[in-house]
Amino acid sequence: IQASTTSIPKPERLINYELGYRKSWKKSAVSANFYYMDYKDQLVTTGEVNDVGAYNRVNVASSYRAGIELTGGLQLLKDLRWQATLTYSQNKIKAFTEYLDNWDDYTQIKIAHSNTAIAFSPDWIGSSMFSYTVLKGLNIDLISKYVGKQYMDNTQNENRKLNAFFVNDIRAAYEFKVTKLFSAVRLGVQVNNILNVKYEPNGYTYSGSMGGTRYDFNYYYPQAGTNFLTSLTLKF
């Protein structure tokens, strides 16, 4: 969607500060990364409609993303390894104005907000993978992922959020040689969401006001329950 001539935004500016640490041993390794992403004029949606009827992405004067990323790996047994990541962050807009459609007179109501979470930016994200070598060429992985709650707009309203979710997948792969034509053949199967969790990682929200009452409409993109896929890879 093109911006109208009266609502062309300014370019974003980002200064990113990072400080990292890594340490490894014979059977393990860890790393930590601290970051602060300082935005000026970050583009966000506010609900405001421009003169051609499209929702504006407008500049907010000041916003930031700050957090720590942790990663680690450990050789638990000869054929069993564990890897994990964890991120904690604060993602904030210091001040912005929300525009709410007034269905009584087709104007928009201005609502001031301060220090609210940036949309679709969870505080917590984590992952884990256990990898087991059953025999030469055959590996089985247990993959887990956690995503904390996140908001579908920039108002940090609990009525317009995506709930946290935790899902687990199992993956098996077997690689072998069969002919001189291929250097290797890899067969794979993956079962996703093995616990059949009901969750929505994405969605959108729409709000308006009528008769002095605010109405919020939330729409979600639900993911499949337990499902699987197979793969065949031929290496020359």
Side-chain angles (χ1 to χ4, degrees), residues 81-98:
R81 182 170 179 80
W82 176 55
Q83 294 175 283
T85 66
L86 180 65
T87 300
Y88 174 72
S89 63
Q90 288 288 286
N91 313 284
K92 297 292 186 178
I93 299 173
K94 294 183 179 179
F96 85 103
T97 301
E98 175 192 11

Side-chain angles (χ1 to χ4, degrees), residues 30-217:
V30 296
S31 68
N33 187 60
F34 302 87
Y35 65 90
Y36 183 85
M37 304 171 69
D38 184 18
Y39 288 91
K40 179 176 175 59
D41 295 325
Q42 185 180 19
L43 285 167
V44 303
T45 56
T46 64
E48 184 182 12
V49 177
N50 65 21
D51 59 353
V52 294
Y55 283 98
N56 280 341
R57 286 186 177 272
V58 302
N59 300 107
V60 290
S62 182
S63 57
Y64 67 90
R65 298 180 184 273
I68 179 173
E69 301 168 321
L70 302 174
T71 62
L74 179 62
Q75 193 74 39
L76 298 170
L77 300 171
K78 179 182 177 182
D79 298 316
L80 178 63
R81 182 170 179 80
W82 176 55
Q83 294 175 283
T85 66
L86 180 65
T87 300
Y88 174 72
S89 63
Q90 288 288 286
N91 313 284
K92 297 292 186 178
I93 299 173
K94 294 183 179 179
F96 85 103
T97 301
E98 175 192 11
Y99 288 81
L100 181 69
D101 288 340
N102 186 342
W103 296 325
D104 294 319
D105 58 10
Y106 302 102
T107 60
Q108 289 199 305
I109 302 168
K110 296 181 180 181
I111 305 172
H113 296 272
S114 61
N115 200 39
T116 55
I118 299 174
F120 301 104
S121 301
D123 291 350
W124 292 95
I125 300 175
S127 67
S128 169
M129 184 170 72
F130 290 91
S131 299
Y132 181 62
T133 302
V134 180
L135 51 86
K136 184 178 179 180
L138 176 59
N139 293 280
I140 297 178
D141 302 323
L142 172 62
I143 306 165
S144 305
K145 179 173 67 174
Y146 174 82
V147 177
K149 73 175 181 180
Q150 48 191 314
Y151 300 96
M152 291 189 289
D153 65 11
N154 296 296
T155 65
Q156 197 172 328
N157 190 309
E158 293 294 319
N159 295 321
R160 299 192 292 279
K161 70 177 182 180
L162 298 169
N163 291 323
F165 61 89
F166 178 64
V167 292
N168 294 272
D169 307 329
I170 290 180
R171 178 176 62 202
Y174 181 50
E175 188 170 303
F176 58 95
K177 294 182 179 181
V178 288
T179 67
K180 294 182 180 180
L181 180 60
F182 305 112
S183 62
V185 176
R186 182 182 177 89
L187 300 175
V189 60
Q190 182 164 324
V191 182
N192 300 312
N193 195 4
I194 59 176
L195 299 179
N196 201 33
V197 174
K198 296 180 180 180
Y199 71 103
E200 312 86 23
N202 204 348
Y204 68 96
T205 185
Y206 174 74
S207 303
S209 176
M210 179 180 293
T213 301
R214 178 174 181 138
Y215 296 91
D216 297 313
F217 302 92

